[in-house]
Tab-separated table of all heavy atoms in Angstrom:
chain	number	residue	atom	x	y	z
A	71	VAL	N	9.633	-8.342	-0.441
A	71	VAL	CA	10.627	-7.719	0.432
A	71	VAL	C	11.677	-7.007	-0.426
A	71	VAL	O	12.198	-7.555	-1.395
A	71	VAL	CB	11.295	-8.776	1.332
A	71	VAL	CG1	12.516	-8.187	2.033
A	71	VAL	CG2	10.304	-9.289	2.365
A	72	GLY	N	11.968	-5.762	-0.047
A	72	GLY	CA	12.918	-4.943	-0.786
A	72	GLY	C	12.267	-4.011	-1.780
A	72	GLY	O	12.925	-3.086	-2.279
A	73	LYS	N	10.985	-4.223	-2.080
A	73	LYS	CA	10.298	-3.393	-3.066
A	73	LYS	C	9.668	-2.167	-2.405
A	73	LYS	O	9.437	-2.124	-1.199
A	73	LYS	CB	9.223	-4.200	-3.790
A	73	LYS	CG	9.781	-5.314	-4.664
A	73	LYS	CD	8.668	-6.032	-5.404
A	73	LYS	CE	9.232	-7.124	-6.318
A	73	LYS	NZ	8.147	-7.843	-7.032
A	74	VAL	N	9.368	-1.184	-3.254
A	74	VAL	CA	8.700	0.044	-2.816
A	74	VAL	C	7.255	0.006	-3.290
A	74	VAL	O	6.971	-0.437	-4.411
A	74	VAL	CB	9.403	1.292	-3.383
A	74	VAL	CG1	8.667	2.568	-2.974
A	74	VAL	CG2	10.845	1.344	-2.912
A	75	GLY	N	6.353	0.453	-2.450
A	75	GLY	CA	4.937	0.457	-2.817
A	75	GLY	C	4.135	1.267	-1.813
A	75	GLY	O	4.575	2.322	-1.359
A	76	TYR	N	2.994	0.734	-1.443
A	76	TYR	CA	2.127	1.475	-0.534
A	76	TYR	C	1.386	0.524	0.388
A	76	TYR	O	1.253	-0.673	0.106
A	76	TYR	CB	1.133	2.341	-1.306
A	76	TYR	CG	0.170	1.582	-2.199
A	76	TYR	CD1	-1.152	1.358	-1.818
A	76	TYR	CD2	0.578	1.093	-3.440
A	76	TYR	CE1	-2.038	0.677	-2.634
A	76	TYR	CE2	-0.295	0.414	-4.267
A	76	TYR	CZ	-1.605	0.209	-3.865
A	76	TYR	OH	-2.486	-0.482	-4.683
A	77	LEU	N	0.925	1.054	1.506
A	77	LEU	CA	0.103	0.310	2.451
A	77	LEU	C	-1.345	0.730	2.285
A	77	LEU	O	-1.644	1.908	2.105
A	77	LEU	CB	0.542	0.597	3.894
A	77	LEU	CG	1.946	0.148	4.325
A	77	LEU	CD1	2.192	0.562	5.770
A	77	LEU	CD2	2.109	-1.354	4.165
A	78	VAL	N	-2.224	-0.249	2.356
A	78	VAL	CA	-3.654	0.027	2.296
A	78	VAL	C	-4.328	-0.761	3.406
A	78	VAL	O	-3.857	-1.844	3.795
A	78	VAL	CB	-4.227	-0.356	0.914
A	78	VAL	CG1	-4.095	-1.848	0.653
A	78	VAL	CG2	-5.677	0.090	0.776
A	79	ARG	N	-5.397	-0.216	3.937
A	79	ARG	CA	-6.088	-0.879	5.045
A	79	ARG	C	-6.526	-2.282	4.649
A	79	ARG	O	-7.066	-2.507	3.560
A	79	ARG	CB	-7.322	-0.067	5.451
A	79	ARG	CG	-8.074	-0.654	6.641
A	79	ARG	CD	-9.410	0.049	6.811
A	79	ARG	NE	-9.240	1.473	7.008
A	79	ARG	CZ	-8.933	2.034	8.173
A	79	ARG	NH1	-8.739	1.266	9.221
A	79	ARG	NH2	-8.813	3.331	8.269
A	80	ALA	N	-6.275	-3.258	5.522
A	80	ALA	CA	-6.685	-4.636	5.261
A	80	ALA	C	-8.183	-4.766	5.467
A	80	ALA	O	-8.748	-4.207	6.411
A	80	ALA	CB	-5.934	-5.591	6.179
A	81	ALA	N	-8.833	-5.501	4.563
A	81	ALA	CA	-10.276	-5.713	4.647
A	81	ALA	C	-10.548	-7.065	5.284
A	81	ALA	O	-9.893	-8.060	4.965
A	81	ALA	CB	-10.900	-5.655	3.258
A	82	SER	N	-11.513	-7.098	6.184
A	82	SER	CA	-11.867	-8.347	6.837
A	82	SER	C	-12.647	-9.227	5.872
A	82	SER	O	-13.570	-8.763	5.197
A	82	SER	CB	-12.711	-8.075	8.088
A	82	SER	OG	-13.114	-9.279	8.686
A	83	ILE	N	-12.264	-10.498	5.777
A	83	ILE	CA	-12.971	-11.423	4.888
A	83	ILE	C	-13.770	-12.449	5.691
A	83	ILE	O	-14.226	-13.448	5.154
A	83	ILE	CB	-11.982	-12.139	3.952
A	83	ILE	CG1	-10.936	-12.907	4.771
A	83	ILE	CG2	-11.319	-11.163	3.009
A	83	ILE	CD1	-9.979	-13.737	3.910
A	84	SER	N	-13.912	-12.211	6.975
A	84	SER	CA	-14.696	-13.103	7.823
A	84	SER	C	-15.369	-12.260	8.889
A	84	SER	O	-15.279	-11.037	8.903
A	84	SER	CB	-13.790	-14.166	8.470
A	84	SER	OG	-12.922	-13.570	9.406
A	85	THR	N	-16.050	-12.937	9.799
A	85	THR	CA	-16.727	-12.221	10.879
A	85	THR	C	-15.746	-11.803	11.974
A	85	THR	O	-16.090	-11.021	12.849
A	85	THR	CB	-17.823	-13.110	11.498
A	85	THR	OG1	-17.223	-14.342	11.936
A	85	THR	CG2	-18.903	-13.415	10.474
A	86	ALA	N	-14.527	-12.340	11.912
A	86	ALA	CA	-13.524	-11.971	12.917
A	86	ALA	C	-13.094	-10.529	12.728
A	86	ALA	O	-12.918	-10.064	11.609
A	86	ALA	CB	-12.321	-12.898	12.816
A	87	ALA	N	-12.917	-9.832	13.828
A	87	ALA	CA	-12.511	-8.428	13.758
A	87	ALA	C	-11.054	-8.341	13.313
A	87	ALA	O	-10.195	-9.106	13.757
A	87	ALA	CB	-12.697	-7.767	15.121
A	88	MET	N	-10.761	-7.402	12.431
A	88	MET	CA	-9.405	-7.184	11.958
A	88	MET	C	-8.655	-6.345	12.989
A	88	MET	O	-9.205	-5.390	13.525
A	88	MET	CB	-9.442	-6.463	10.616
A	88	MET	CG	-8.093	-6.326	9.940
A	88	MET	SD	-7.442	-7.874	9.302
A	88	MET	CE	-8.599	-8.191	7.947
A	89	PRO	N	-7.420	-6.697	13.310
A	89	PRO	CA	-6.660	-5.880	14.277
A	89	PRO	C	-6.546	-4.435	13.814
A	89	PRO	O	-6.454	-4.161	12.607
A	89	PRO	CB	-5.282	-6.557	14.291
A	89	PRO	CG	-5.525	-7.945	13.814
A	89	PRO	CD	-6.653	-7.846	12.825
A	90	ALA	N	-6.555	-3.518	14.756
A	90	ALA	CA	-6.436	-2.105	14.415
A	90	ALA	C	-5.123	-1.860	13.682
A	90	ALA	O	-4.068	-2.326	14.098
A	90	ALA	CB	-6.498	-1.251	15.682
A	91	GLY	N	-5.212	-1.156	12.567
A	91	GLY	CA	-4.025	-0.819	11.806
A	91	GLY	C	-3.510	-1.898	10.887
A	91	GLY	O	-2.440	-1.745	10.286
A	92	ALA	N	-4.230	-3.020	10.755
A	92	ALA	CA	-3.781	-4.094	9.860
A	92	ALA	C	-3.746	-3.593	8.418
A	92	ALA	O	-4.666	-2.915	7.963
A	92	ALA	CB	-4.700	-5.295	9.982
A	93	CYS	N	-2.662	-3.920	7.705
A	93	CYS	CA	-2.447	-3.384	6.361
A	93	CYS	C	-2.039	-4.480	5.386
A	93	CYS	O	-1.519	-5.528	5.779
A	93	CYS	CB	-1.333	-2.336	6.366
A	93	CYS	SG	-1.559	-0.981	7.504
A	94	TYR	N	-2.254	-4.200	4.118
A	94	TYR	CA	-1.647	-4.973	3.051
A	94	TYR	C	-0.570	-4.095	2.419
A	94	TYR	O	-0.760	-2.885	2.256
A	94	TYR	CB	-2.664	-5.344	1.970
A	94	TYR	CG	-3.789	-6.231	2.430
A	94	TYR	CD1	-5.103	-5.958	2.048
A	94	TYR	CD2	-3.557	-7.328	3.237
A	94	TYR	CE1	-6.147	-6.765	2.448
A	94	TYR	CE2	-4.605	-8.145	3.655
A	94	TYR	CZ	-5.896	-7.856	3.257
A	94	TYR	OH	-6.925	-8.649	3.664
A	95	PHE	N	0.537	-4.714	2.043
A	95	PHE	CA	1.550	-4.005	1.275
A	95	PHE	C	1.343	-4.323	-0.189
A	95	PHE	O	1.213	-5.481	-0.587
A	95	PHE	CB	2.963	-4.433	1.702
A	95	PHE	CG	4.048	-3.840	0.837
A	95	PHE	CD1	4.465	-2.534	1.032
A	95	PHE	CD2	4.630	-4.587	-0.183
A	95	PHE	CE1	5.459	-1.985	0.230
A	95	PHE	CE2	5.619	-4.049	-0.986
A	95	PHE	CZ	6.035	-2.747	-0.785
A	96	ARG	N	1.316	-3.279	-1.024
A	96	ARG	CA	1.143	-3.442	-2.459
A	96	ARG	C	2.334	-2.787	-3.165
A	96	ARG	O	2.508	-1.571	-3.079
A	96	ARG	CB	-0.162	-2.787	-2.933
A	96	ARG	CG	-1.418	-3.388	-2.305
A	96	ARG	CD	-1.684	-4.761	-2.882
A	96	ARG	NE	-2.945	-5.315	-2.398
A	96	ARG	CZ	-3.045	-6.256	-1.462
A	96	ARG	NH1	-1.925	-6.718	-0.902
A	96	ARG	NH2	-4.216	-6.716	-1.094
A	97	PRO	N	3.175	-3.567	-3.844
A	97	PRO	CA	4.335	-2.968	-4.520
A	97	PRO	C	3.911	-2.212	-5.766
A	97	PRO	O	2.932	-2.564	-6.430
A	97	PRO	CB	5.193	-4.177	-4.874
A	97	PRO	CG	4.201	-5.290	-5.056
A	97	PRO	CD	3.114	-5.030	-4.038
A	98	TYR	N	4.645	-1.152	-6.095
A	98	TYR	CA	4.424	-0.458	-7.353
A	98	TYR	C	4.894	-1.364	-8.489
A	98	TYR	O	5.966	-1.983	-8.403
A	98	TYR	CB	5.211	0.848	-7.416
A	98	TYR	CG	4.799	1.884	-6.409
A	98	TYR	CD1	5.757	2.692	-5.793
A	98	TYR	CD2	3.463	2.087	-6.059
A	98	TYR	CE1	5.402	3.665	-4.882
A	98	TYR	CE2	3.099	3.046	-5.140
A	98	TYR	CZ	4.069	3.836	-4.544
A	98	TYR	OH	3.706	4.782	-3.631
A	99	LEU	N	4.116	-1.443	-9.553
A	99	LEU	CA	4.533	-2.225	-10.711
A	99	LEU	C	5.800	-1.631	-11.316
A	99	LEU	O	6.718	-2.346	-11.715
A	99	LEU	CB	3.412	-2.257	-11.752
A	99	LEU	CG	3.655	-3.150	-12.957
A	99	LEU	CD1	3.763	-4.608	-12.537
A	99	LEU	CD2	2.537	-2.990	-13.978
A	100	ASP	N	5.843	-0.298	-11.383
A	100	ASP	CA	7.034	0.418	-11.811
A	100	ASP	C	7.783	0.816	-10.552
A	100	ASP	O	7.347	1.693	-9.802
A	100	ASP	CB	6.643	1.656	-12.625
A	100	ASP	CG	7.836	2.412	-13.188
A	100	ASP	OD1	8.947	2.274	-12.624
A	100	ASP	OD2	7.663	3.151	-14.169
A	101	GLN	N	8.910	0.169	-10.284
A	101	GLN	CA	9.621	0.400	-9.028
A	101	GLN	C	10.284	1.769	-8.938
A	101	GLN	O	10.789	2.148	-7.882
A	101	GLN	CB	10.636	-0.712	-8.784
A	101	GLN	CG	10.014	-1.977	-8.215
A	101	GLN	CD	9.446	-1.753	-6.823
A	101	GLN	OE1	10.177	-1.562	-5.855
A	101	GLN	NE2	8.112	-1.767	-6.705
A	102	SER	N	10.291	2.520	-10.032
A	102	SER	CA	10.784	3.896	-9.949
A	102	SER	C	9.671	4.868	-9.565
A	102	SER	O	9.939	6.046	-9.318
A	102	SER	CB	11.390	4.326	-11.288
A	102	SER	OG	10.387	4.577	-12.264
A	103	LEU	N	8.446	4.388	-9.491
A	103	LEU	CA	7.296	5.251	-9.216
A	103	LEU	C	7.353	5.791	-7.788
A	103	LEU	O	7.680	5.058	-6.848
A	103	LEU	CB	6.002	4.459	-9.412
A	103	LEU	CG	4.681	5.237	-9.431
A	103	LEU	CD1	4.614	6.111	-10.671
A	103	LEU	CD2	3.504	4.266	-9.400
A	104	ARG	N	7.011	7.072	-7.636
A	104	ARG	CA	6.935	7.687	-6.317
A	104	ARG	C	5.790	8.701	-6.292
A	104	ARG	O	5.554	9.408	-7.271
A	104	ARG	CB	8.245	8.428	-5.968
A	104	ARG	CG	9.469	7.534	-5.858
A	104	ARG	CD	9.394	6.582	-4.693
A	104	ARG	NE	10.643	5.826	-4.542
A	104	ARG	CZ	10.908	4.681	-5.184
A	104	ARG	NH1	10.024	4.176	-6.027
A	104	ARG	NH2	12.048	4.059	-4.981
A	105	ARG	N	5.104	8.751	-5.151
A	105	ARG	CA	4.097	9.795	-4.949
A	105	ARG	C	4.801	11.109	-4.655
A	105	ARG	O	5.773	11.151	-3.895
A	105	ARG	CB	3.178	9.443	-3.777
A	105	ARG	CG	1.953	8.677	-4.173
A	105	ARG	CD	0.853	9.537	-4.806
A	105	ARG	NE	0.114	10.284	-3.799
A	105	ARG	CZ	0.061	11.600	-3.740
A	105	ARG	NH1	0.708	12.330	-4.625
A	105	ARG	NH2	-0.640	12.206	-2.812
A	106	VAL	N	4.287	12.199	-5.240
A	106	VAL	CA	4.850	13.538	-5.018
A	106	VAL	C	3.709	14.456	-4.584
A	106	VAL	O	3.049	15.093	-5.421
A	106	VAL	CB	5.523	14.082	-6.301
A	106	VAL	CG1	6.206	15.417	-6.006
A	106	VAL	CG2	6.527	13.077	-6.859
A	107	PRO	N	3.419	14.523	-3.291
A	107	PRO	CA	2.293	15.346	-2.812
A	107	PRO	C	2.402	16.813	-3.198
A	107	PRO	O	1.385	17.511	-3.303
A	107	PRO	CB	2.362	15.165	-1.291
A	107	PRO	CG	3.080	13.870	-1.088
A	107	PRO	CD	4.077	13.797	-2.197
A	108	GLU	N	3.630	17.299	-3.421
A	108	GLU	CA	3.811	18.704	-3.772
A	108	GLU	C	3.138	19.051	-5.101
A	108	GLU	O	2.846	20.226	-5.372
A	108	GLU	CB	5.305	19.043	-3.858
A	108	GLU	CG	6.040	18.997	-2.523
A	108	GLU	CD	6.421	17.582	-2.126
A	108	GLU	OE1	6.160	16.632	-2.890
A	108	GLU	OE2	6.989	17.423	-1.028
A	109	LEU	N	2.887	18.052	-5.938
A	109	LEU	CA	2.245	18.297	-7.228
A	109	LEU	C	0.724	18.167	-7.173
A	109	LEU	O	0.042	18.417	-8.167
A	109	LEU	CB	2.784	17.312	-8.283
A	109	LEU	CG	4.265	17.430	-8.648
A	109	LEU	CD1	4.628	16.365	-9.676
A	109	LEU	CD2	4.573	18.815	-9.200
A	110	ASP	N	0.176	17.757	-6.028
A	110	ASP	CA	-1.262	17.492	-5.930
A	110	ASP	C	-2.091	18.707	-6.319
A	110	ASP	O	-1.753	19.843	-5.988
A	110	ASP	CB	-1.638	17.078	-4.507
A	110	ASP	CG	-1.132	15.702	-4.145
A	110	ASP	OD1	-0.523	15.055	-5.011
A	110	ASP	OD2	-1.342	15.266	-2.993
């Protein structure tokens, strides 16, 4: 909590269906890191 990172789709690890839109939050190791789509 309080960190910056990204969301990635959650993967189901059982036969149960994963709720639509379920995500994992992954913090950036370098908290100054930012994606800049303008440079893509």
